[in-house]
Amino acid sequence: MTPLVRSVRSADTLTRDALAVLQPGFTGTTAPDWLLRRLGEGLVSVGLFGRNVADPAQLAALTGRLRAEREELIVAIDEEGGDVTRLEVRGGSSFPGNHALGAVDDTALTRAVARELGRRLADCGINLNWAPSADVNSNPGNPVIGVRSFGADPQLVARHTAAYVEGLQSAGVAACTKHFPGHGDTAVDSHHDLPRIAVDLPTLQERELVPFRAAVAAGTRAVMSAHILLPALDGEHPATLSPAALHGLLRAPATEGGLGFDGLIVTDGMEMQAISATYGIERGSVLALAAGADAICVGGGLADEDIVLRLRDALVRAVRDGELPEQRLADAAARVRALAGRTRSAEVGEGAAPAPGIGLTAARRALRLTAAGPYAPLAEPACVAAFTPLANIAVGDETPWGVAAELARLLPGTETATCTAEAAAAAGTAALVDGLLTAAAGRRVVAVVRDVHRHPWMADALSTLLAARPDTAVVEMGVPQAPPRGALHIATHGAARVCAQAAAEALTDQRLSPGE
């Protein structure tokens, strides 16, 4: 009977370890029964998304219910602030985001913003944030990073990444610095396809890795891998599945050219097309664990019990078939449990008083105004022409953006007209702008653009509008790569709600308090 008992115990341990390395999501604002049951069977992490959040009280009740089932639990969320927000997914973020903080370039401000964001997360029972983005936005055409990056200079990105990690973790929330080894020099979104970065290793060391070294030095508890192919490092596998990237670069000691990171390695979402369309989620998860990842993030798109069971069984089967060393799975599970225990016991240090206005302060400081000549502030209702690009998946289309709502608070009666690439293609640029001018009905126009340098249709429409109405003010809420244009040009360095409020204040020469 003894061998049978050992076999059953071993099987149970293997299953628990396989569950422990998963970071799944779910749908709804209450915990489903299947999730609570799996927590009892060994699941250690849960990932939250905008669909799980109604308000802080509901979120705190949800995380409290999860911890009633398992006290030492990682509750993770993708809350970057700025364009990527889950806490305020339906109203827009109270924090301006990385690019705005980089534009200000005050590390004390970045640290304070991250601390306040962390305090709000901790109050809701969240103890792991899949942030900050440490990507160097070296490719202006990048479709997925952009304002999520602190900037294009590696040293600037490094100092603000470190400050963000310090601020967030001082509030008792573990940082998960991403997207290792750097997603900034890509023209492809890994949600849709596998990006390829054709740089040599010296460039990687001098550019992409600089912020990650700073994050490791600052004590980041976790690092998230990117689904990107770097042939100079590994010609076959994307970083998430590459032993050379995870074990050989991220884990290797500095004396061997590595980063010497000893914390938790988390994968980016495994259902993203860069992995799922190439390897499949089950096979990709096995390869990621074998390469050195500790936690498998899944649930942004696939968020039910079936995916948890599929991945659990795939990992168990891989161990039994000899594809995944049992010790590697055990080590990964141990790292997850260690972070769960550490974050449970973490306490916010002294001086973590609420700072509700810090995000708006940062957004105001991030504004860059360029006037072609004297510009009279808006004093009457205006017409906002919102040139709206297709939202990338990381940002989503649930979160509102633009200045119309905030401008209408200051100038009631302000209206908006939305322009899209599809409308421009269907009607033609001239007809599109004629429609805008008709909607304006003689009122002053505010054109709102987002990464105008990446969208030819948007640039053409803006040129046509400015030719007809040179008194138009232009608000750029993406990366201000294109030269400033308009009677007044405002670069907000992000599309968060507070960025819109700061821009509306500048357009009208008025100020509102955060609660007005």
Side-chain angles (χ1 to χ4, degrees):
M1 292 297 293
T2 303
L4 179 59
V5 171
R6 286 176 180 164
S7 175
V8 171
R9 184 178 300 153
S10 175
D12 181 64
T13 298
L14 186 57
T15 300
R16 295 186 73 84
D17 284 351
L19 282 170
V21 301
L22 303 180
Q23 289 192 345
F26 62 96
T27 58
T29 54
T30 57
D33 290 342
W34 70 261
L35 181 63
L36 299 175
R37 186 167 61 253
R38 300 305 169 191
L39 288 173
E41 295 173 0
L43 193 66
V44 183
S45 306
V46 176
L48 301 180
F49 298 86
R51 62 179 180 244
N52 305 123
V53 180
D55 55 57
Q58 166 269 328
L59 190 53
L62 170 60
T63 59
R65 178 66 187 93
L66 294 172
R67 287 202 170 84
E69 200 67 37
R70 184 182 188 94
E71 187 177 6
E72 293 191 351
L73 177 69
I74 294 174
V75 181
I77 199 167
D78 192 9
E79 180 57 55
E80 299 177 15
D83 288 26
V84 180
T85 179
R86 310 307 179 209
L87 285 184
E88 301 177 277
V89 65
R90 292 167 192 84
S93 181
S94 301
F95 303 94
N98 286 3
H99 207 57
L101 295 173
V104 178
D105 197 13
D106 179 346
T107 53
L109 178 66
T110 295
R111 193 175 292 107
V113 166
R115 185 176 180 82
E116 172 62 13
L117 188 150
R119 186 192 65 79
R120 296 189 192 185
L121 291 174
D123 279 354
C124 294
I126 294 162
N127 54 9
L128 174 65
N129 190 10
W130 293 318
S133 167
D135 305 296
V136 179
N137 198 53
S138 54
N139 185 340
N142 196 311
V144 67
I145 301 301
V147 294
R148 301 168 65 196
S149 166
F150 290 110
D153 175 59
Q155 296 300 329
L156 179 145
V157 176
R159 60 179 172 266
H160 286 280
T161 296
Y164 192 107
V165 167
E166 292 164 357
L168 187 67
Q169 294 188 165
S170 72
V173 176
C176 183
T177 305
K178 62 189 184 186
H179 307 82
F180 181 84
H183 208 311
D185 190 19
T186 63
V188 173
D189 183 347
S190 54
H191 290 90
H192 301 297
D193 206 344
L194 178 61
R196 178 187 179 96
I197 300 182
V199 301
D200 56 22
L201 287 177
T203 300
L204 189 70
Q205 291 282 359
E206 296 166 9
R207 189 177 65 186
E208 274 77 12
L209 294 182
V210 173
F212 289 96
R213 291 187 189 280
V216 172
T220 186
R221 302 276 192 264
V223 168
M224 177 176 283
S225 66
H227 306 327
I228 54 176
L229 188 68
L230 295 103
L233 191 62
D234 187 325
E236 182 180 357
H237 300 103
T240 293
L241 313 183
S242 171
L246 301 187
H247 180 73
L249 184 59
L250 185 52
R251 292 280 191 224
T255 54
E256 299 176 13
L259 276 66
F261 179 63
D262 194 39
L264 190 75
I265 299 177
V266 183
T267 73
D268 206 346
M270 296 300 285
E271 62 266 63
M272 294 165 64
Q273 292 295 300
I275 298 295
S276 62
T278 307
Y279 297 89
I281 296 176
E282 291 97 330
R283 177 68 177 157
S285 297
V286 170
L287 292 175
L289 264 292
D294 302 307
I296 302 297
C297 179
V298 67
L302 299 174
D304 55 21
E305 184 176 23
D306 178 66
I307 189 63
V308 172
L309 298 180
R310 282 168 54 194
L311 294 182
R312 179 200 67 183
D313 294 346
L315 295 175
V316 169
R317 186 166 55 250
V319 170
R320 289 176 174 161
D321 291 346
E323 293 183 85
L324 176 64
E326 184 171 1
Q327 190 57 50
R328 170 80 273 274
L329 179 61
D331 289 345
R335 285 183 189 277
V336 175
R337 294 184 187 112
L339 183 60
R342 183 171 189 172
T343 53
R344 182 183 69 84
S345 61
E347 295 182 0
V348 179
E350 293 183 7
I358 191 68
L360 180 56
T361 296
R364 287 168 173 160
R365 290 182 61 186
L367 291 187
R368 298 294 180 267
L369 278 61
T370 306
Y375 183 83
L378 298 176
E380 296 179 350
C383 178
V384 175
F387 294 92
T388 305
L390 185 67
N392 72 57
I393 292 177
V395 175
D397 56 9
E398 290 180 280
T399 306
W401 73 283
V403 302
E406 296 301 323
L407 196 57
R409 293 168 68 198
L410 295 167
L411 300 174
T414 292
E415 297 181 354
T416 185
T418 300
C419 311
T420 65
E422 292 77 7
T429 299
L432 182 74
V433 173
D434 283 344
L436 287 175
L437 296 177
T438 299
R443 289 174 294 177
R444 293 174 67 180
V445 178
V446 177
V448 182
V449 295
R450 195 166 176 173
D451 292 339
V452 70
H453 67 283
R454 292 200 302 111
H455 304 287
W457 71 269
M458 190 184 296
D460 290 345
L462 181 62
S463 294
T464 303
L465 175 60
L466 291 175
R469 291 288 300 269
D471 62 336
T472 296
V474 178
V475 181
E476 168 62 86
M477 304 195 81
V479 177
Q481 187 75 23
R485 305 173 68 189
L488 176 67
H489 184 276
I490 301 176
T492 62
H493 300 91
R497 176 176 52 79
V498 287
C499 296
Q501 181 173 341
E505 292 174 347
L507 287 165
T508 59
D509 199 23
Q510 298 184 55
R511 270 201 175 186
L512 289 174
S513 68
E516 285 189 76

